[in-house]
Amino acid sequence: MRVLLAGATGRVGRALVPRLRARGHHVTALVRDPSRAAGLDLDGVVVADALDGAAVRAAVPPARPDVVVHQLTALRAGTPDDLAHTARLRTEGTAHLIAAARAAGAARIVAQSIAFATAPHGGRVLTEDAALYLDAPDPGWARTVDAVADLERQVLGAPDLPGTVLRYGTLYGPGTLYDRAGRLGGAVARGRLPLPETAAGVTSFLHVEDAARAAVAAVEAAADGVFNVTDDDPAEAAVWLPEYARLLGAPAPRTLPAELAERLLGWFTAYQLTALRGAANDRARQALDWKPAVPSWRAALAGG
Ligand SMILES: NC(=O)c1ccc[n+]([C@@H]2O[C@H](COP(=O)([O-])OP(=O)(O)OC[C@H]3O[C@@H](n4cnc5c(N)ncnc54)[C@H](OP(=O)(O)O)[C@@H]3O)[C@@H](O)[C@H]2O)c1
């Protein structure tokens, strides 16, 4: 198939390009800076800033894609500006890609979403049917979830363009936040991420290579809908954080009184460690014929 990949130079994108090519797909990358694509083994490159609708609509049709794959985020530096940019990529960027995909006569769009945007109600592990946390008490997270919901609505509701939404779990692996050299890995390695007393938040992790494998499966399976793409081992922070520290050769995390968690860690990290729910991957296993090659974070979270 002819695939137009937006986000080919990101962490997931770089893992995805060789996997698509190895399956015989023709891959054109949509990039804003062609120098970032140097070294990627691509069939073609088109240039547009994803937030520039006219540029995206001009760039995509010449690539004649059968499938448009959206792996755009802007989370590398982790600043508030990055979150705002990412929200715009999810709202405006998605709209531009859908318009361009329809103009190009594409048969499907596959888009990256997140598996940890559900509201923290019900059991420890939720399905795709759980409600999103649109009323999160933190305005920044509420905006993020709102943008995620908008992306999903657009991808699933585009006229004449079937859509697949991949809700990735918390990504780890080389080049991610959880890499030994990443922001979170560095904090844990230096003993800077304490464990709140009630560390019952459940994280569903996902190795970046499994994210890429799921995107290939979605391109080939042509299944409509929303799919959690997560590993098989959702884990409470009280389990994964001490184990992660051990894997990093760091001291065991110190315990933080619950009432200090939000003030010292920030809302999102405190929420992740105390209240987040995991995400079940049964639907992706069935409909996409995908399963994680790294079924548990336990051995691999610190690298590899
Ligand atoms: N589910 C999760 O946990 C999750 C999901 C996503 C990301 N992350 C975290 O975010 C970090 C970075 O991941 P990543 O490398 O995949 O994401 P990234 O660095 O944000 O890259 C995403 C892609 O989007 C492109 N992009 C961004 N803004 C664009 C624009 N305006 N127009 C066109 N292209 C644009 C980037 O291009 P450039 O190369 O030009 O910047 C890149 O190809 C990792 O540490 C990862 O852990 C986590």
Side-chain angles (χ1 to χ4, degrees), residues 5-14 30-34 36-37 48-52 56 71-78 82 85-86 89-90 112-116 167-179 182-183 204 206 208 229:
L5 174 55
T9 57
R11 189 58 201 87
V12 175
R14 286 180 187 278
L30 179 136
V31 299
R32 54 182 169 172
D33 172 3
R36 294 266 305 146
D49 187 306
L51 296 178
D52 181 341
V56 174
Q71 299 283 354
L72 298 167
T73 67
L75 298 167
R76 213 172 285 142
D82 284 348
H85 185 175
T86 298
L89 289 169
R90 288 179 172 138
Q112 172 187 154
S113 182
I114 52 176
F116 40 90
R167 288 185 178 170
Y168 291 151
T170 297
L171 289 171
Y172 73 93
T176 67
L177 297 176
Y178 287 78
D179 187 289
R183 283 197 309 285
S204 280
L206 179 69
V208 282
V229 178

Side-chain angles (χ1 to χ4, degrees), residues 53 106 115 154 195 201 244 247 259 262 264 268:
Q154 291 192 60
L195 197 58
Y244 184 32
L247 290 167
E259 64 275 13
E262 188 175 330
L264 293 188
F268 182 79

Side-chain angles (χ1 to χ4, degrees), residues 211-240:
R213 291 174 59 254
V216 175
V219 164
E220 295 177 355
D224 301 352
V226 180
F227 302 96
N228 288 336
V229 178
T230 53
D231 80 5
D232 296 335
D233 192 10
E236 276 74 8
V239 174
W240 71 258

Side-chain angles (χ1 to χ4, degrees), residues 2 70 84 130 139 150 208 289:
R2 296 178 68 90
H70 175 351
D150 186 78
V208 282
D289 193 23

